[in-house]
Amino acid sequence: QVQLVESGGGLVQPGGSLRLSCVASGSIVSINSMGWYRQAPGKERELVATITRGGSTNYADSVKGRFTISRDNAKSTTYLQMNTLKPEDTALYYCAARLLSQTDYNYWGQGTQVTVSS
C-alpha cells in the first residue's frame, strides 16, 4: 500500500552530476528503509544504495564516494545525489521501499532513465 514515483533522470556528460528524487505515498509510517536500484541493458538489476529511517546508509562499491542517498521523512522523499558520473552509470534507476518487520523490498517505482555520454 505504498506508491513510489521517481524523477530527475536525464542526459548528463561524464563527470557531471544529477539528483534523483523518489516521492512515497500511502502507508508512509510503515516504511523502514528506502533503496535505489539500477538496471542497464543486458545486465542484472543491482543495488545502488539504501537508507534506514534512522539515517544509516549503505552503498555499492561501484558508487561509494560518488553517490549520496538521503531521506526527508517530513516530505516523504528519498534522494540520490550522483556526482562524478561515468558512462557505466547509465541505467534505469528504480526506487524501492521496505516495510517494518519485512526483509524484502516489496514496493517499486516505475524507474527513471539516467544516461551518461560524451
Side-chain angles (χ1 to χ4, degrees), residues 1 15 24 28 36 42 47 50-51 68 94 99 103 105-106 108 110 116:
Q1 298 179 2
I28 306 301
W36 285 97
L47 176 67
T50 62
I51 185 169
T68 302
Y94 295 93
L99 304 188
T103 58
Y105 284 90
N106 301 114
W108 297 81
Q110 77 288 341
V116 184

Side-chain angles (χ1 to χ4, degrees), residues 25-116:
S25 61
S27 301
I28 306 301
V29 296
S30 299
I31 298 177
N32 181 34
S33 63
M34 298 292 298
W36 285 97
Y37 287 77
R38 67 185 182 185
Q39 186 169 26
K43 298 183 179 179
E44 295 184 348
R45 184 176 61 189
E46 64 174 339
L47 176 67
V48 176
T50 62
I51 185 169
T52 66
R53 181 172 292 275
S56 179
T57 60
N58 286 286
Y59 299 91
D61 290 339
S62 60
V63 306
K64 195 171 185 178
R66 299 188 298 119
F67 290 11
T68 302
I69 187 172
S70 60
R71 185 175 178 178
D72 188 335
N73 292 325
K75 297 181 178 180
S76 300
T77 302
T78 303
Y79 304 95
L80 184 67
Q81 178 66 46
M82 304 182 293
N83 299 324
T84 319
L85 283 163
K86 305 175 181 179
E88 50 262 46
D89 293 319
T90 296
L92 187 63
Y93 284 71
Y94 295 93
C95 178
R98 185 175 70 201
L99 304 188
L100 293 168
S101 302
Q102 297 185 14
T103 58
D104 299 326
Y105 284 90
N106 301 114
Y107 301 93
W108 297 81
Q110 77 288 341
T112 184
Q113 179 67 39
V114 172
T115 302
V116 184

